Amino acid sequence: LSLAVLYFLPRQKAEAQERKATWSRRPIYGYVTVAMLSVAFVYSLTVNFMSMFPSTMCLEFAGGDGCDSALAKPPLSSNSSNSSNVLLR
């Protein structure tokens, strides 16, 4: 995706100055860029904080395997007489 944007960059200094002189200014581009960066920053903070707390670190959204999948799987050991096995993450 970023390589496709390279096509729109000016080739030399003269072309950049020509674009600056002839093209209209649109502040919406700046606002959209700041908004997208803000959303990405908030998303990364949310996922990082969710992965720190035991109650949310199992969520797939936070990089875990899913909270329900740990409870649905039977224990791997063949010793089923011990009912005090607790799965801790």
Side-chain angles (χ1 to χ4, degrees), residues 21-77:
T22 58
W23 289 14
S24 63
R25 294 183 182 208
R26 296 186 183 141
I28 190 71
Y29 293 147
Y31 296 135
V32 169
T33 301
V34 169
M36 288 174 42
L37 290 173
S38 298
V39 167
F41 182 69
V42 169
Y43 173 79
S44 67
L45 281 178
T46 302
V47 170
N48 282 322
F49 280 121
M50 287 180 72
S51 66
M52 290 182 196
F53 299 109
S55 61
T56 57
M57 69 175 35
C58 62
L59 296 173
E60 291 181 19
F61 179 76
D65 294 330
C67 296
D68 293 337
S69 64
L71 299 175
K73 294 180 183 176
L76 296 176
S77 65

